Amino acid sequence: MYEGVIYSVNLWQIDEEAFDADKLRSLETLYTIGNGYFGTRGAFEEGYPKATPATLMAGVFDKIDIGKEELANAPDWLPIKLFVNGERFWLSKEKTLSYRRVLDMQRGVLRREVHWRSSAGVALRVVTERFASLHDEHVGAIRYSVTIDKDQPALTGPIEIVLSASLNLAVGNYDLMHWEPVAQHHDGEISWLHSQTRKSSVHLAQTMSFSTARCDFHKELIRSDITPMIRFYGALAPGETLATEKVVVMYTSRDVKKPLATALEHHHRIMRANGGGNGTPVEHGDQYTLHIEGITSEQPCQQTHVYEMLLADHQNAWEHYWNISDVIIEGDAKAQRAIRYNLYQLRISDPPHDSHYSIAAKGLTGFGYRGHVFQDTEIFMLPYFTFVHPDLARNLLLYRYHLLPGARAKARLNGYEGAQFPWESTLDGSEATPGAIVHPESGELIAVLNGSLELHITASIAYAFWHYWNVTGDDECMRLYGAELLLSTAQFWVSRVTCNAGSGEYEINNVIGPDEWHEHVNNNAYTNVMARWNISTALDTLDWLKNADAAKARALLQNLHLDEQKLHHWRDVIDHIRIAQDKQSGLFEQFDGFFQLEHFDQDKYRGRKASYQGLLGVSVVGRYQIVKQADVLMLLTVLRQHYDLETKRVNWDYYYPITDHDYGSSLTPALHVILACELGLTDAAYDLFMKGALVDLEDQRGNSAEGIHDACAGAVWQAAITGFAGLRFTAGGYTTHPHWPEGWTRLAFKCCFKGQLVEVDLRKG
């Protein structure tokens, strides 16, 4: 666990009682705020050496040389710099008297309190509070206050204070800069910055206001193409406070045709709406001095209530979210807080109004995987949204539907029919997987074959559409979008198989399965079974569509060039595709030849801090029966209704011991929970659940600096609801089969089924 990060009495809060500079970047990830439109890492307003401040905006990409494109770190809206008698406020062990940072997940607010002493002996308290509005996704707000300690025996006069707020364009994705200035100016007391990405030409408008109720501080607006600034300067006596509010509005050319005009109008509307709710600013008789570009004027001193107004709406939005989303675990405070943290992360990563972008592997919390979207969304995250927020789930599915042209182009490029989805995707459906990377553990340069060989994502996306339909009963979505996608992906699989002349079986050769440590394998069990499921379900869906909308069915068959002869061939593939499973025991062979690989002695590596691939190297680890993540066991979880308990048990007994649960993939510890619960292995299930639930809270893999493990967050919800609660839906309703970890006394949650909200409250007898 992080030193300094504690679990407080409040089960809605993540607390940090001491700043640890060695954990700077991973803690920036941990304390990210966001709303799905943008996410802002937990960097400090005043900055810190080697920090990685970042605001990532959904779908705002810029081109790069490797990996096609990446989310472009937007100009930083956080900076607020404080100078006390000319000395800059800066965290250091020598000057920091006390420190506390709290992420309030219930309210979506990040708060920090620092008691600090300057080199000259001035003691003061700085309190900052910020949020990314869940009610108004274009808005970010900060409340920043400075209070001079009352007891200042060495001081003889007022303390000079300079407090400046800015927008900072000079930030990048580590060393790569993506933005360049277009223009900067002000509109009244609102400063604005117009910038654009260097290669993709996405335009971004950011407007900023910075205000205080104190009339004795001078205000200055300073123009800069890189860092436009609003500055207050004046003096504070011991015991006095300077309280300020910073509000930023952001729009891009992905949202509107005129982002600057829209942002300014939006910001002015916010400012007009303040004043205690009556729509009129509360004016005092005093005035403050305003300097703009060398012009000095006297302006009415206003007590604004903008921050409180925005905060109230923001908190109401979070209250609505938690009213539906919260999972209550009684008897285990650590698990309770952890599952809420994972649900918080899922929400701040989901772009609710953008069906042309999805949830990336790291959400909007860091630079890992460059903001690319994987099957992480469909298999690990989407079940949560499907059951709890079906409207958001539908939007995420539409993202994949919009990528069908790109998926069809990829299939054609590779010599196949139908739609082959990219392993990594951005906005247009073309493959975004880099050709090579430096291995994050071993440092070796390795070829990345996933884009060409890891095919099962195509079936995973088809499964997600079907699962959403099965849970929600949204016939319109299946009629308009899902049926076409299911048929198109089935076309791909039928064209991808080859017939073995000797056995008469259809095979899918030269692939990478979910276990990515074994490359160029033939007939991966997960891939082949999911392909068969995809083809079979596409035919069933076609039969449904013929009854539901015959004209639509005819149009699809015509547009996809499908006739009865081809569909007959599909059925033959279903009946004769190779599935390497022992008929007597039910044991699957992960791929052809897996059982002939060398056994691996894990005892030699006790106490390791890296994955087996990182320790052995890419080429060596493939020689052994050691598994990166659930592969066969993932199949038995995703399609669990197709397999009996004995089949699940024999495969668990074989594959669970040879899976790297600690440093393989973060995706599957929590996903294993479902299978473990079915097998009555509650203790093992709990250990796995906590590995997943705490992966970022405790930085268990040492890589949280790159961003949150969002797929793991989705798997944690699945583990609790379909694992420990044992929730299952049937035509007649739902059933539960609870499995109680030690100490748990209650498990309560809500979900949606066929348009109805279902409330489940399980209590241990």
Side-chain angles (χ1 to χ4, degrees), residues 221-279:
L221 274 62
I222 302 171
R223 289 192 62 185
S224 167
D225 284 341
I226 305 299
T227 54
M229 183 183 303
I230 303 175
R231 181 167 62 187
F232 285 108
Y233 57 95
L236 290 177
E240 289 189 329
T241 297
L242 171 63
T244 62
E245 299 177 1
K246 180 179 183 180
V247 176
V248 173
V249 175
M250 293 179 274
Y251 277 88
T252 77
S253 53
R254 292 189 72 244
D255 314 318
V256 293
K257 292 182 179 179
K258 298 180 178 180
L260 178 58
T262 305
L264 283 169
E265 194 280 329
H266 190 155
H267 205 139
H268 280 297
R269 187 169 64 249
I270 290 172
M271 302 301 287
R272 288 194 301 269
N274 84 79
N278 62 8

Side-chain angles (χ1 to χ4, degrees), residues 609-641:
K609 296 296 182 182
S611 73
Y612 292 119
Q613 186 184 64
L615 294 169
L616 301 176
V618 174
S619 58
V620 175
V621 75
R623 302 204 305 255
Y624 293 100
Q625 290 191 45
I626 187 70
V627 179
K628 176 184 178 182
Q629 64 194 65
D631 194 309
V632 169
L633 299 187
M634 182 170 158
L635 169 64
L636 298 177
T637 304
V638 173
L639 297 183
R640 53 185 171 270
Q641 70 273 21

Side-chain angles (χ1 to χ4, degrees), residues 380-440:
F380 297 94
M381 295 182 249
L382 240 169
Y384 162 71
F385 290 102
T386 294
F387 275 112
V388 185
H389 298 280
D391 54 333
L392 300 181
R394 194 178 200 263
N395 224 33
L396 294 170
L397 291 171
L398 288 180
Y399 164 74
R400 292 298 190 182
Y401 179 79
H402 293 320
L403 299 191
L404 265 178
R408 290 191 174 107
K410 177 173 181 176
R412 287 195 302 271
L413 182 66
N414 293 330
Y416 305 116
E417 299 176 5
Q420 179 186 2
F421 280 92
W423 180 245
E424 298 183 30
S425 61
T426 56
L427 299 180
D428 63 4
S430 59
E431 184 60 65
T433 305
I437 62 169
V438 175
H439 194 284

Side-chain angles (χ1 to χ4, degrees), residues 575-588:
D575 292 339
H576 298 100
I577 193 169
R578 173 168 170 73
I579 306 295
Q581 182 184 22
D582 185 84
K583 293 182 179 179
Q584 192 168 25
S585 68
L587 181 66
F588 284 95

Side-chain angles (χ1 to χ4, degrees), residues 343-362:
L343 296 176
Y344 166 83
Q345 287 295 338
L346 287 171
R347 178 59 189 89
I348 70 172
S349 293
D350 177 67
H353 305 120
D354 188 351
S355 65
H356 291 272
Y357 186 59
S358 183
I359 304 178
K362 298 296 184 183

Side-chain angles (χ1 to χ4, degrees), residues 131-423:
F131 63 88
S133 177
L134 201 68
H135 171 76
D136 185 344
E137 64 184 13
H138 297 277
V139 172
I142 304 172
R143 181 160 52 192
Y144 192 109
S145 69
V146 183
T147 302
I148 308 299
D149 283 10
K150 288 184 179 180
D151 186 16
Q152 301 277 1
L155 299 178
T156 59
I159 297 104
E160 292 183 1
I161 297 294
V162 177
L163 195 61
S164 60
S166 63
L167 302 169
N168 181 19
L169 185 141
V171 292
N173 293 45
Y174 296 128
D175 296 328
L176 183 59
M177 307 293 287
H178 284 297
W179 296 87
E180 58 187 5
V182 175
Q184 189 277 315
H185 212 280
H186 61 86
D187 189 346
E189 293 191 47
I190 297 175
S191 290
W192 55 262
L193 175 65
H194 180 188
S195 55
Q196 68 176 354
T197 52
R198 293 175 180 271
K199 297 181 180 179
S200 59
S201 297
V202 176
H203 288 252
L204 167 65
Q206 294 169 297
T207 61
M208 171 181 63
S209 60
F210 193 45
S211 58
T212 182
R214 292 193 66 115
C215 304
D216 54 339
F217 270 72
H218 303 288
K219 186 175 186 178
E220 187 174 17
L221 274 62
I222 302 171
R223 289 192 62 185
S224 167
D225 284 341
I226 305 299
T227 54
M229 183 183 303
I230 303 175
R231 181 167 62 187
F232 285 108
Y233 57 95
L236 290 177
E240 289 189 329
T241 297
L242 171 63
T244 62
E245 299 177 1
K246 180 179 183 180
V247 176
V248 173
V249 175
M250 293 179 274
Y251 277 88
T252 77
S253 53
R254 292 189 72 244
D255 314 318
V256 293
K257 292 182 179 179
K258 298 180 178 180
L260 178 58
T262 305
L264 283 169
E265 194 280 329
H266 190 155
H267 205 139
H268 280 297
R269 187 169 64 249
I270 290 172
M271 302 301 287
R272 288 194 301 269
N274 84 79
N278 62 8
T280 304
V282 179
E283 297 191 4
H284 298 270
D286 297 328
Q287 295 180 324
Y288 67 85
T289 305
L290 173 64
H291 303 275
I292 304 177
E293 301 176 326
I295 301 173
T296 302
S297 65
E298 298 299 321
Q299 299 289 326
C301 185
Q302 299 178 350
Q303 171 64 62
T304 64
H305 302 277
V306 175
Y307 184 90
E308 287 296 335
M309 176 189 69
L310 295 172
L311 179 62
D313 290 338
H314 167 73
Q315 289 177 157
N316 287 338
W318 272 108
E319 182 180 3
H320 176 72
Y321 173 77
W322 287 116
N323 183 52
I324 299 170
S325 305
D326 191 23
V327 174
I328 298 172
I329 298 172
E330 291 186 357
D332 188 340
K334 198 170 188 178
Q336 175 66 90
R337 189 175 293 101
I339 196 169
R340 282 174 173 159
Y341 183 76
N342 284 277
L343 296 176
Y344 166 83
Q345 287 295 338
L346 287 171
R347 178 59 189 89
I348 70 172
S349 293
D350 177 67
H353 305 120
D354 188 351
S355 65
H356 291 272
Y357 186 59
S358 183
I359 304 178
K362 298 296 184 183
L364 301 172
T365 67
F367 302 138
Y369 298 118
R370 306 179 187 277
H372 295 180
V373 180
F374 296 71
Q375 71 155 6
D376 298 25
T377 306
E378 282 72 28
I379 293 298
F380 297 94
M381 295 182 249
L382 240 169
Y384 162 71
F385 290 102
T386 294
F387 275 112
V388 185
H389 298 280
D391 54 333
L392 300 181
R394 194 178 200 263
N395 224 33
L396 294 170
L397 291 171
L398 288 180
Y399 164 74
R400 292 298 190 182
Y401 179 79
H402 293 320
L403 299 191
L404 265 178
R408 290 191 174 107
K410 177 173 181 176
R412 287 195 302 271
L413 182 66
N414 293 330
Y416 305 116
E417 299 176 5
Q420 179 186 2
F421 280 92
W423 180 245

Side-chain angles (χ1 to χ4, degrees), residues 538-608:
L539 289 172
D540 291 344
T541 304
L542 178 61
D543 289 341
W544 168 83
L545 188 62
K546 287 178 179 178
N547 290 322
D549 189 339
K552 178 72 173 180
R554 287 193 300 272
L556 276 180
L557 290 173
Q558 181 177 355
N559 293 338
L560 299 177
H561 308 290
L562 294 173
D563 54 29
E564 188 52 42
Q565 182 179 357
K566 290 182 178 180
L567 297 180
H568 177 75
H569 176 57
W570 286 23
R571 298 183 185 97
D572 191 54
V573 172
I574 293 169
D575 292 339
H576 298 100
I577 193 169
R578 173 168 170 73
I579 306 295
Q581 182 184 22
D582 185 84
K583 293 182 179 179
Q584 192 168 25
S585 68
L587 181 66
F588 284 95
E589 185 172 23
Q590 184 171 296
F591 54 80
D592 290 351
F594 182 83
F595 291 154
Q596 281 68 57
L597 297 178
E598 299 176 47
H599 290 280
F600 185 76
D601 185 2
Q602 297 184 62
D603 290 337
K604 293 181 179 179
Y605 296 89
R606 293 191 180 278
R608 65 195 169 93

